[in-house]
Amino acid sequence: MAQYGNSLVKKAKTTSEQPCTFTANGVEVKLTPATVKNYLVSGNAERITDQEVVMFINLCKYNGLNPWLREAYCIKYGSSPATMVVGKETFQKRADADPNYNGEQAGVIVETADGQIERREGCLVLENEQLLGGWAKVYRKDRLYPSTAEVSMTEYTGRKSDGSPNGQWSGKPATMIRKVALVQALREAFPARLGALYTAEERGYAEPVEATFNEVPEADAPTPQQTSGKTPMPDAAPAPSDADDFFAGVE
């Protein structure tokens, strides 16, 4: 009986590490739970659960996302639930690929020195102005009116436990809020392509694009076709000074 029980355990372990293979943009992607835990989790990778890993793999599989090309991120800080988000460029590329896509406009909403509310294209905010939010319009050839979005700084700014803005929300708030508005308008314009996807900026922080990479063993390393000559996903995102509070105010 003991031998029979051990064989079941061994079989279960082997099954759990079987790769999940799927195609993303014509490229074969192969992921295992071990690969995700070791190389594709930003933040506190040691805290991620098996359930969260499976959810991330399925997010990539059913949405055709290649995490080695930074199309999807699995982010884990402290005891907070892991967050799975996609890169803003993924939204842009999928919109560009739709034959009905007909351009976009996006910018910031500011209160000028004389108290006027102005919707300005781009990210320019003067020193004597207050940044209130962001706006965007996405046009489709088959629709009479554009899909629009306006978002406020108070709703989306990521904050630390002391109430101060965290990460890029502190240094580049206009860029961040413009991104939030744009991806929301893109999602409304193309719900079939983007309906279930959200970006890091919408969750109160920036994409984890800067990191120091560990060497990936040959067995787990992505093929040249998977990376297309690009840098693999970061091993960990730069943590804020109060990482456990990264998700403060995030629904």
Side-chain angles (χ1 to χ4, degrees):
M1 289 294 293
Q3 183 178 0
Y4 179 72
N6 289 339
S7 66
L8 287 178
V9 172
K10 183 176 180 180
K11 182 178 180 180
K13 181 177 180 181
T14 301
T15 301
S16 69
E17 291 304 318
Q18 287 182 347
C20 174
T21 304
F22 57 93
T23 301
N25 299 315
V27 177
E28 182 180 276
V29 179
K30 186 179 296 184
L31 298 176
T32 67
T35 301
V36 172
K37 288 181 179 181
N38 291 333
Y39 310 111
L40 295 174
V41 178
S42 297
N44 305 131
E46 70 281 358
R47 290 177 175 264
I48 196 165
T49 67
D50 291 339
Q51 181 183 18
E52 290 169 335
V53 169
V54 171
M55 290 176 63
F56 178 69
I57 291 176
N58 282 318
L59 170 76
C60 295
K61 176 181 178 180
Y62 293 114
N63 289 283
L65 299 169
N66 188 341
W68 298 108
L69 299 184
R70 299 175 179 173
E71 292 180 344
Y73 301 90
C74 183
I75 305 171
K76 180 76 171 182
Y77 281 109
S79 58
S80 299
T83 296
M84 294 90 177
V85 295
V86 302
K88 179 254 183 184
E89 295 307 316
T90 300
F91 275 69
Q92 196 68 67
K93 287 189 293 185
R94 293 194 172 193
D96 288 343
D98 194 295
N100 287 312
Y101 175 69
N102 198 32
E104 67 196 32
Q105 294 176 294
V108 293
I109 304 171
V110 301
E111 181 178 350
T112 62
D114 58 0
Q116 299 297 312
I117 305 300
E118 181 178 323
R119 285 161 179 79
R120 182 178 300 160
E121 195 159 3
C123 300
L124 177 63
V125 181
L126 303 179
E127 291 185 3
N128 60 348
E129 296 177 333
Q130 180 182 358
L131 177 61
L132 301 178
W135 66 272
K137 294 182 179 181
V138 175
Y139 300 88
R140 288 181 56 135
K141 298 174 183 177
D142 59 344
R143 292 183 182 176
L144 184 61
Y145 301 104
S147 295
T148 63
E150 291 191 359
V151 296
S152 68
M153 288 293 295
T154 56
E155 184 175 0
Y156 285 98
T157 300
R159 298 185 182 278
K160 297 183 287 187
S161 58
D162 62 3
S164 62
N166 63 34
Q168 296 282 8
W169 284 99
S170 174
K172 299 180 180 180
T175 298
M176 297 289 280
I177 199 65
R178 179 186 178 276
K179 284 183 180 181
V180 172
L182 180 55
V183 297
Q184 287 199 9
L186 285 168
R187 188 165 51 240
E188 290 197 11
F190 301 99
R193 291 176 178 264
L194 304 169
L197 304 178
Y198 294 86
T199 64
E201 290 81 8
E202 292 178 279
R203 294 298 186 238
Y205 49 97
E207 293 180 25
V209 295
E210 299 292 339
T212 300
F213 298 96
N214 295 327
E215 183 177 355
V216 181
E218 183 176 352
D220 288 330
T223 64
Q225 290 76 20
Q226 287 178 312
T227 59
S228 300
K230 297 184 180 181
T231 307
M233 259 286 297
D235 183 51
S241 58
D242 195 349
D244 284 341
D245 291 307
F246 231 24
F247 292 86
V250 177
E251 296 181 358

